[in-house]
Amino acid sequence: MSEEEYLRKEIDAVEQQAARRIDPGTGALTISIAVLALLVSLVLPWVGETTGLSVVLGESTSFVPRLFSYFAFGVGVIGSGIALAVRRWGMAWVCTLGLFAGSVTGVLSIWSQQTTTSNKTIGPGPGVGLIIAVIAVIVLLVKWVRIAASRPPQL
């Protein structure tokens, strides 16, 4: 193998490796602030007087807010942290898809706390922590969609 062929293969390998990486740029700051908002929402009430930490731990709450808490903290906090650390396109798409599911279940969890299936009084209502968490998940979703969709086409 000639030196020119060797250099061409090495350049191609570096190019392929660079094509798999993301550069969140200033979006990383927004992602970090939204993750911080998710963590702060843990100490605030989510369902009635039940705090976000109690919901994450599965203590006395309905299924939908608990499912949202798993998406929010599993994908929103842990997934975003891993994606920012490894900077891979695949992880950016995992965060995008997981946060989409999380945003849908978040809106459903707010709605489920405002309505009931009978003529009884309305449920305990969404707490401020749940509302902050849903907004933070939606902000994370928008940022990860922009980052994941910004990949240039492969040549």
Side-chain angles (χ1 to χ4, degrees):
M1 175 183 297
S2 71
E3 185 176 336
E4 186 178 307
E5 290 173 344
Y6 176 75
L7 286 174
R8 173 53 44 205
K9 285 185 179 185
E10 189 174 339
I11 289 171
D12 289 343
V14 169
E15 181 182 1
Q16 286 178 350
Q17 183 179 4
R20 286 184 257 149
R21 297 184 59 84
I22 60 170
D23 182 19
T26 58
L29 179 63
T30 307
I31 290 169
S32 300
I33 291 170
V35 167
L36 179 64
L38 275 173
L39 292 174
V40 167
S41 75
L42 279 175
V43 297
L44 299 172
W46 274 33
V47 178
E49 294 299 317
T50 307
T51 65
L53 186 59
S54 298
V55 173
V56 170
L57 297 176
E59 298 174 9
S60 68
T61 186
S62 62
F63 175 72
V64 180
R66 197 170 342 125
L67 180 63
F68 167 68
S69 71
Y70 297 152
F71 277 119
F73 295 103
V75 179
V77 175
I78 297 169
S80 291
I82 292 171
L84 286 177
V86 299
R87 296 179 183 252
R88 296 286 183 187
W89 287 105
M91 194 63 196
W93 277 109
V94 167
C95 286
T96 300
L97 296 174
L99 289 167
F100 175 74
S103 65
V104 170
T105 57
V107 171
L108 282 174
S109 64
I110 290 175
W111 175 75
S112 71
Q113 297 308 307
Q114 293 175 335
T115 60
T116 61
T117 57
S118 67
N119 291 330
K120 297 179 183 176
T121 59
I122 296 179
V128 67
L130 180 61
I131 294 169
I132 289 172
V134 170
I135 291 170
V137 165
I138 291 171
V139 167
L140 284 170
L141 171 64
V142 169
K143 285 314 228 180
W144 281 118
V145 164
R146 286 184 180 174
I147 290 169
S150 68
R151 183 176 186 176
Q154 297 290 329
L155 297 175

